[in-house]
Amino acid sequence: MPMLGLGTWENTDPEACANAVKTALEMGYRHIDTAQIYGNEAEVGAGIAAADVPREDIFLATKVWINELGHDDVIESTKESLDKLGVDYVDLLYIHWPARAYDPDETLSAFDELVEQGLTKRVGVSNFEPEQVREAVERSDAGIFANQIELHPLHQQDELREVCAEAGVEIVAYSPLARGTVFGVDVLSDIAEKHDVSEAQVSLAWLREKGVTAIPKATGEAHIRDNWKSLALDLDDEDIEAIDAIERADRRVDPDFAPW
């Protein structure tokens, strides 16, 4: 899985969304993330179709919403997602939240069937806490490839990262820039100045050092390019230790159905 992807949450303007996906892919991105609830799967698909990049080179992920997690609903809604995306399969299909219609056995068995049918190559979970990760790993025949969670220097999720590592589950970080909050943190600003880069690049490089794939959302070419430049940034031990020492639990995503 590529270590940096493009997130598309809130990117609902049809032209802007398709252009962002096309721009990112032609810049070198290979991981594109969307979700049923984002309402932009068709636009993401249009961007993929417009880009001069073979489908087999793209790691495409979407997520099944919490109202669609009954067995038959998982199957039907995933086929609808594929139609909107204009693809035969996704590389990774997530359970978006362990909420509402989520039932470990029923939901995961449907995801297993989708793998068997070739409609997704991998099963993922999102916003799963430690015990839910362990349970999903135990119940899934196909295996759990990744847990997509809010993760950034201001919400480092040490225990959850450790549990996922022990279970062999990759971590994908959404809101890796804490929805812009990283730009106001002295530690990150000092490191950014030291390397003559942005705080966004510092945050993304820190996640990469932790073995985490980040999927920052970006619409304009300037932000897409700035995030891409993070791949060339090598933080030193002093930088990483300084970021590790940030003691904040600044969660930016906290809906009423969240499991924590």
Side-chain angles (χ1 to χ4, degrees):
M1 179 168 57
M3 292 299 290
L4 182 67
L6 178 73
T8 61
W9 177 71
E10 285 192 333
N11 195 347
T12 54
D13 178 89
E15 184 177 359
C17 183
N19 285 339
V21 171
K22 179 179 184 291
T23 297
L25 288 171
E26 294 186 345
M27 190 178 295
Y29 285 75
R30 290 296 179 266
H31 182 170
I32 305 295
D33 182 90
T34 183
Q36 292 174 354
I37 196 64
Y38 297 173
N40 62 8
E41 288 175 315
E43 289 72 27
V44 168
I48 291 172
D52 188 21
V53 177
R55 167 66 185 97
E56 59 268 22
D57 291 347
I58 299 169
F59 190 97
L60 176 61
T62 192
K63 310 175 196 73
V64 179
W65 187 237
I66 58 179
N67 294 336
E68 305 290 347
L69 293 175
H71 180 279
D72 293 347
D73 293 334
V74 169
I75 304 294
E76 182 178 348
S77 70
T78 298
K79 290 179 178 178
E80 292 174 358
S81 289
L82 295 178
D83 286 343
K84 292 176 183 177
L85 288 162
V87 298
D88 296 326
Y89 67 92
V90 289
D91 297 272
L92 178 57
L93 184 69
Y94 292 100
I95 298 167
H96 204 151
W97 291 84
R100 294 191 187 157
Y102 175 64
D103 174 86
D105 290 324
E106 183 177 346
T107 304
L108 287 165
S109 69
F111 274 69
D112 288 337
E113 288 181 26
L114 290 170
V115 173
E116 292 173 0
Q117 294 170 18
L119 302 185
T120 182
K121 291 189 174 181
R122 301 166 184 84
V123 174
V125 297
S126 185
N127 300 296
F128 276 45
E129 291 289 273
E131 285 308 312
Q132 292 165 325
V133 170
R134 294 188 183 102
E135 180 181 51
V137 168
E138 182 179 330
R139 304 285 181 89
S140 172
D141 291 336
I144 302 300
F145 179 76
N147 186 16
Q148 186 178 130
I149 59 174
E150 179 181 351
L151 180 60
H152 45 74
L154 310 183
H155 188 52
Q156 298 189 13
Q157 302 251 47
D158 292 341
E159 180 190 1
L160 185 51
R161 285 195 285 126
E162 182 177 343
V163 168
C164 287
E166 291 173 352
V169 175
E170 299 279 337
I171 294 180
V172 176
Y174 72 76
S175 296
L177 309 181
R179 299 194 174 177
T181 307
V182 298
F183 292 97
V185 179
D186 290 343
V187 171
L188 300 176
S189 297
D190 290 345
I191 295 172
E193 183 176 359
K194 169 183 170 181
H195 292 280
D196 192 25
V197 298
S198 67
E199 290 93 335
Q201 290 182 43
V202 170
S203 299
L204 296 173
W206 175 78
L207 287 164
R208 191 179 72 249
E209 290 286 348
K210 299 298 182 182
V212 172
T213 294
I215 50 167
K217 71 167 187 173
T219 304
E221 181 177 352
H223 286 154
I224 294 171
R225 188 173 300 280
D226 187 70
N227 293 339
W228 184 248
K229 288 180 179 178
S230 70
L231 294 172
L233 173 58
D234 291 320
L235 300 177
D236 59 36
D237 291 344
E238 183 181 5
D239 299 331
I240 295 169
E241 289 171 5
I243 298 172
D244 288 350
I246 295 175
E247 294 185 355
R248 290 174 65 169
D250 192 357
R251 189 188 291 276
R252 313 302 295 177
V253 179
D254 192 16
D256 58 9
F257 52 76
W260 40 81

